[in-house]
C-alpha cells in the first residue's frame, strides 16, 4: 500500500517494521480528538487564506463524513497507514480526493499528536474529577449516618484510641479532595495548545495559533515549538496524580477487606459487590476492593514506564514518544473503572454499629484518657503515662478492662483518683472529649462534615 510519506522510498516497508511502528491498534482511541483538531486547523487555514475557503469547506465536510462513517463502523483502519493521523488523512483523501491532501499544510504529526493527547486528557480529567466527587458524596453519606458510631482507631494496627466511624471515613474524603484538586490544578498544564509548532521549528505559513486555541478551547499556547512537540510532562503529571489517588483507593480498599473479614465484621459489603468461591460454599469474597488495591500496581507502572521512556531523549520528537499512549489510556480506564465501582460499593455497605461498639469496650484504648485525667489533677504527663502503664498491666493480670477497676483499686496507685474517673472512661466520653479542631468528637466531626458540604457545593458552582 502506498504511504503518505512514500516519495523518498524505493522499497516497500518490511511487514515486521510496519507492525512494530504502527500505533493504530491503540491510538484509534484518539479518533475524535484528531478530527476535532483537524477541523480547527483547517478552519484557520481557510480564514488565513493559506488554502481557499472553498477547499477548507470541502475538507471540513469530508472530515464530518469520515467521523460519521467511523462512528457507524463503516471504515476499517489499516496498519499500513501506521497511526490514527495518517489513517484519518487517508480516509479523507479517499472521501474527497486530492484536495484532502491540503489538510496537512503547516502541520506535522508531531504537533498533531501532542494536540490530540492534550484534548484527550482535558476531556477525561474533567470526567474523572466528577467521578471523584461521586465517591466523596458516598463517603459523606456514610459519615453523616455514623457520627455517633464508635470504632477502634489503630496505629501499627494495634488498638490506639476509639474514634467516630464518620471521622475515620472522612479521612478518605479529604484525601480524595486533594486528589481532585491535584487534577484540577493539572488542567492548567493540559490546557495549552501545541498545534502550530510544526515538526519542531514552527512553520513557513502565516498561521494563526490564537485562533486555533480559541476554536479548541485552550487557554494558552506553547511559546516554544520544540518544547511543544517533545515534552509529555502534562501526561506525567496526570499519571502522578493518578498514582497518588490509586494509593488512597488502595488503602481504603485494604480497610474494607479487613473490616469485612469474620474477625473484624465491622462492615458487610453488599452481595452485589462480592463474589463466591467455586469450592467453598460459605465464602463471600471482597474481590472488588482486592482488585482496586491490585490495580494500583499498573498505574504506578504506567508512571514509571513513561518517566523511563522520556529520560534519555534528545530534543525534539523521537519515535520513542509513541509509547506515551497505552499507559495513559490504561490509567484513564483504570481510574474511571475504579471510581465508578467505589461509589456504589461504599453507598451500599452495611455498617455493623453494634460490633464496632462492642469492640471499643473490649480494649484498653481509653488508657490515654486516664493519663490525661491525672494531668488535669496536676501530675506531669510523663509520670501519668508511667503510672497508667502499670495500671494497664495490673488490669490485664486481673482480666479486667479499665472501666471495671474499682475506685479503691485506682486509689492504690494514686490518691488523685476520685469518683469522677468514671466520667472519662466510656467510649462516648473518650471520643467526645477529643474536641480539638480536627479531632474525633461528634462536635468536630459535624463541623468537618459541614465544611465538606460547603466545599462540594462550591466545586459544583465552579463547573
Ligand atoms: N504515531 C506517532 C506518535 O504517536 C505520531 C507522531 C509521529 N511523527 C513522526 N514523525 N514519526 O508519536
Amino acid at each position: 500500500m502506498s504511504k503518505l510519506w512514500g516519495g523518498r522510498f524505493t522499497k516497500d516497508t518490511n511487514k515486521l517494521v510496519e507492525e512494530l511502528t504502527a500505533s493504530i491498534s491503540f491510538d484509534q482511541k484518539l479518533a475524535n480528538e484528531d478530527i476535532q483538531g483537524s477541523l480547527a486547523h483547517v478552519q484557520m487555514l481557510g480564514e488565513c487564506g493559506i488554502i481557499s475557503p472553498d477547499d477548507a469547506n470541502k475538507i471540513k465536510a469530508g472530515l464530518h463524513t469520515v467521523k460519521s462513517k467511523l462512528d457507524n463502523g463503516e471504515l476499517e483502519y489499516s496498519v499500513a497507514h501506521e497511526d490514527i493521523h495518517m489513517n484519518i488523512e487517508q480516509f479523507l483523501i479517499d472521501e474527497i480526493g486530492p484536495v484532502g491532501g491540503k489538510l496537512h499544510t503547516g502541520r506535522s504529526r508531531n504537533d498533531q499528536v501532542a494536540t490530540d493527547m492534550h484534548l484527550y486528557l482535558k476531556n477525561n480529567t474533567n470526567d474523572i474529577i466528577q467521578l471523584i466527587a461521586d465517591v466523596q458524596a458516598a463517603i459523606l453519606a456514610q459519615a453523616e449516618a455514623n457520627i455517633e458510631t464508635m470504632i477502634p482507631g489503630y496505629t501499627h494496627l494495634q488498638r490506639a484510641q476509639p474514634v467516630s466511624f464518620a471521622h475515620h471515613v472522612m479521612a478518605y474524603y479529604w484525601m480524595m479532595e486533594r486528589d481532585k484538586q491535584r487534577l484540577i490544578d493539572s488542567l492548567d498544564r493540559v490546557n495549552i495548545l501545541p498545534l502550530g509548532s510544526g515538526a519542531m521549528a514552527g512553520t513557513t505559513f502565516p498561521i494563526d495559533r490564537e485562533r486555533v486555541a480559541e476554536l479548541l478551547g485552550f487557554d494558552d499556547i506553547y511559546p516554544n515549538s520544540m518544547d511543544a512537540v517533545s515534552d509529555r510532562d502534562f501526561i506525567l503529571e496526570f499519571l502522578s496524580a493518578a498514582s497518588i489517588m490509586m494509593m488512597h483507593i488502595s488503602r481504603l480498599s485494604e480497610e474494607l477487606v479487613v473490616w469485612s473479614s469474620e474477625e473484624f465484621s465491622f462492615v458487610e459489603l453488599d452481595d452485589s459487590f462480592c463474589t463466591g468461591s467455586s469450592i467453598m460454599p460459605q465464602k463471600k469474597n471482597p474481590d472488588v476492593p482486592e482488585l482496586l488495591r491490585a490495580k494500583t500496581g499498573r498505574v504506578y507502572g504506567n508512571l514509571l514506564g513513561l518517566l523511563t521512556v522520556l529520560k534519555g531523549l534528545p530534543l525534539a520528537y523521537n519515535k520513542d514518544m509513541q509509547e506515551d499512549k497505552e499507559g495513559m489510556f490504561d490509567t484513564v480506564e483504570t481510574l474511571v473503572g475504579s471510581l465508578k465501582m467505589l461509589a456504589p460499593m461504599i453507598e451500599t455497605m452495611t455498617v455493623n454499629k453494634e460490633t464496632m461498639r462492642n469492640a471499643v469496650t473490649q480494649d484498653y484504648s481509653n488508657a490515654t484518657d486516664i493519663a490525661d485525667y491525672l494531668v488535669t489533677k496536676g501530675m506531669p504527663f510523663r509520670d501519668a503515662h508511667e503510672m497508667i502503664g502499670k495500671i494497664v498491666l495490673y488490669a490485664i493480670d486481673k482480666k479486667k478492662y479499665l472501666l471495671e477497676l474499682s475506685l479503691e483499686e485506682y486509689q492504690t496507685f494514686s490518691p488523685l483518683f476520685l469518683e469522677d474517673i468514671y466520667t472519662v472512661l466510656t467510649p462516648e466520653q473518650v471520643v467526645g472529649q477529643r474536641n480539638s479542631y480536627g479531632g474525633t468528637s461528634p462536635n468536630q466531626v459535624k463541623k468537618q462534615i459541614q465544611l465538606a458540604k460547603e466545599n462540594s457545593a462550591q466545586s459544583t458552582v465552579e463547573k
Side-chain angles (χ1 to χ4, degrees):
M1 201 176 293
S2 71
K3 307 280 187 206
L4 286 171
W5 41 255
R8 188 228 174 277
F9 289 77
T10 54
K11 282 190 181 172
D12 285 346
T13 318
N14 179 302
K15 280 284 155 235
L16 291 173
V17 172
E18 250 180 16
E19 272 165 37
L20 176 76
T21 55
S23 50
I24 188 62
S25 63
F26 49 87
D27 69 9
Q28 53 184 273
K29 286 207 169 71
L30 297 171
N32 286 339
E33 287 77 6
D34 199 70
I35 292 175
Q36 195 189 348
S38 288
L39 284 168
H41 179 67
V42 76
Q43 165 92 17
M44 177 279 290
L45 290 179
E47 286 173 7
C48 293
I50 298 168
I51 64 172
S52 74
D54 187 41
D55 286 349
N57 286 335
K58 279 187 196 139
I59 294 172
K60 271 193 276 175
L63 285 168
H64 284 298
T65 312
V66 169
K67 168 146 173 51
S68 63
K69 284 194 173 175
L70 277 175
D71 289 346
N72 296 335
E74 289 170 41
L75 297 173
E76 217 170 289
Y77 293 116
S78 146
V79 170
H81 292 311
E82 196 179 316
D83 58 21
I84 187 64
H85 323 296
M86 291 199 292
N87 268 273
I88 288 183
E89 195 177 328
Q90 190 60 55
F91 291 145
L92 178 71
I93 292 170
D94 294 345
E95 196 62 40
I96 64 169
V99 65
K102 296 194 176 187
L103 168 63
H104 212 50
T105 312
R107 184 177 80 169
S108 152
R109 277 186 295 153
N110 297 351
D111 56 350
Q112 187 179 356
V113 70
T115 304
D116 291 3
M117 300 287 273
H118 279 75
L119 287 171
Y120 177 88
L121 216 45
K122 193 157 97 144
N123 294 335
N124 283 284
T125 301
N126 277 313
D127 291 350
I128 291 169
I129 288 167
Q130 184 50 53
L131 290 172
I132 301 175
D134 296 345
V135 175
Q136 286 180 300
I139 294 177
L140 207 50
Q142 281 291 3
E144 279 198 285
N146 287 291
I147 295 172
E148 311 278 345
T149 306
M150 306 293 150
I151 185 175
Y154 298 82
T155 62
H156 315 265
L157 203 57
Q158 303 289 321
R159 301 265 180 103
Q161 290 162 343
V163 290
S164 142
F165 183 62
H167 194 54
H168 193 132
V169 293
M170 281 302 287
Y172 288 102
Y173 175 97
W174 297 112
M175 292 178 211
M176 292 196 177
E177 182 58 26
R178 291 191 298 278
D179 293 333
K180 203 171 71 182
Q181 293 305 329
R182 255 185 290 276
L183 285 177
I184 292 173
D185 187 58
S186 77
L187 283 173
D188 283 350
R189 262 86 54 200
V190 176
N191 248 322
I192 312 177
L193 175 77
L195 205 63
S197 299
M200 60 164 290
T203 171
T204 55
F205 294 98
I207 58 169
D208 181 351
R209 297 186 68 199
E210 266 91 23
R211 179 67 177 135
V212 178
E214 184 192 7
L215 288 166
L216 292 175
F218 283 105
D219 295 338
D220 218 339
I221 299 173
Y222 279 93
N224 181 308
S225 61
M226 293 180 75
D227 175 31
V229 295
S230 69
D231 204 2
R232 295 290 183 266
D233 58 352
F234 66 103
I235 304 177
L236 288 173
E237 201 171 335
F238 169 74
L239 296 175
S240 312
S243 295
I244 296 174
M245 191 194 319
M246 284 306 292
M247 177 272 293
H248 290 150
I249 290 176
S250 183
R251 292 183 75 172
L252 173 57
S253 299
E254 166 66 9
E255 303 233 54
L256 294 177
V257 171
V258 170
W259 286 345
S260 58
S261 69
E262 186 94 31
E263 285 69 15
F264 277 76
S265 296
F266 286 170
V267 301
E268 183 173 354
L269 299 177
D270 193 71
D271 273 8
S272 58
F273 285 91
C274 293
T275 57
S277 153
S278 58
I279 173 168
M280 297 164 283
Q282 85 285 7
K283 292 297 291 290
K284 177 172 158 182
N285 294 330
D287 287 26
V288 174
E290 289 172 283
L291 278 171
L292 299 190
R293 189 173 60 185
K295 281 176 188 295
T296 307
R298 63 199 292 156
V299 174
Y300 291 1
N302 294 335
L303 170 63
L304 260 292
L306 186 58
L307 280 169
T308 311
V309 163
L310 295 172
K311 71 175 267 297
L313 300 185
L315 298 186
Y317 177 83
N318 301 268
K319 186 71 170 179
D320 310 51
M321 293 165 70
Q322 184 165 284
E323 286 290 309
D324 61 356
K325 288 175 197 63
E326 286 158 290
M328 181 186 73
F329 294 144
D330 181 69
T331 301
V332 166
E333 278 154 32
T334 304
L335 275 190
V336 168
S338 304
L339 292 165
K340 274 190 180 160
M341 195 66 87
L342 204 49
M345 186 169 67
I346 293 172
E347 238 160 54
T348 55
M349 76 184 184
T350 310
V351 176
N352 296 331
K353 300 186 185 201
E354 273 308 295
T355 317
M356 289 181 181
R357 178 69 179 75
N358 288 339
V360 288
T361 50
Q362 285 156 20
D363 63 21
Y364 296 88
S365 62
N366 47 4
T368 316
D369 294 74
I370 313 183
D372 288 351
Y373 170 88
L374 290 179
V375 169
T376 61
K377 307 259 165 172
M379 190 182 284
F381 180 78
R382 213 24 80 205
D383 298 343
H385 184 286
E386 169 79 15
M387 177 172 292
I388 308 308
K390 293 208 166 78
I391 295 178
V392 169
L393 206 56
Y394 168 85
I396 291 172
D397 187 51
K398 295 278 179 230
K399 297 194 172 22
K400 286 181 177 178
Y401 293 114
L402 294 170
L403 192 57
E404 296 165 340
L405 296 180
S406 68
L407 184 57
E408 290 69 44
E409 285 174 301
Y410 275 116
Q411 285 174 339
T412 60
F413 289 91
S414 165
L416 292 175
F417 284 113
L418 299 172
E419 194 57 45
D420 61 355
I421 180 62
Y422 297 102
T423 64
V424 303
L425 293 183
T426 67
E428 284 72 16
Q429 290 157 348
V430 171
V431 171
Q433 280 167 144
R434 295 218 153 48
N435 198 27
S436 53
Y437 180 83
T440 188
S441 73
N443 213 0
Q444 291 299 329
V445 172
K446 279 180 201 152
K447 277 191 198 162
Q448 193 186 143
I449 289 176
Q450 186 53 31
L451 186 66
K453 282 180 158 174
E454 286 163 17
N455 213 52
S456 22
Q458 208 179 343
S459 50
T460 333
V461 172
E462 274 166 22
K463 258 190 242 116

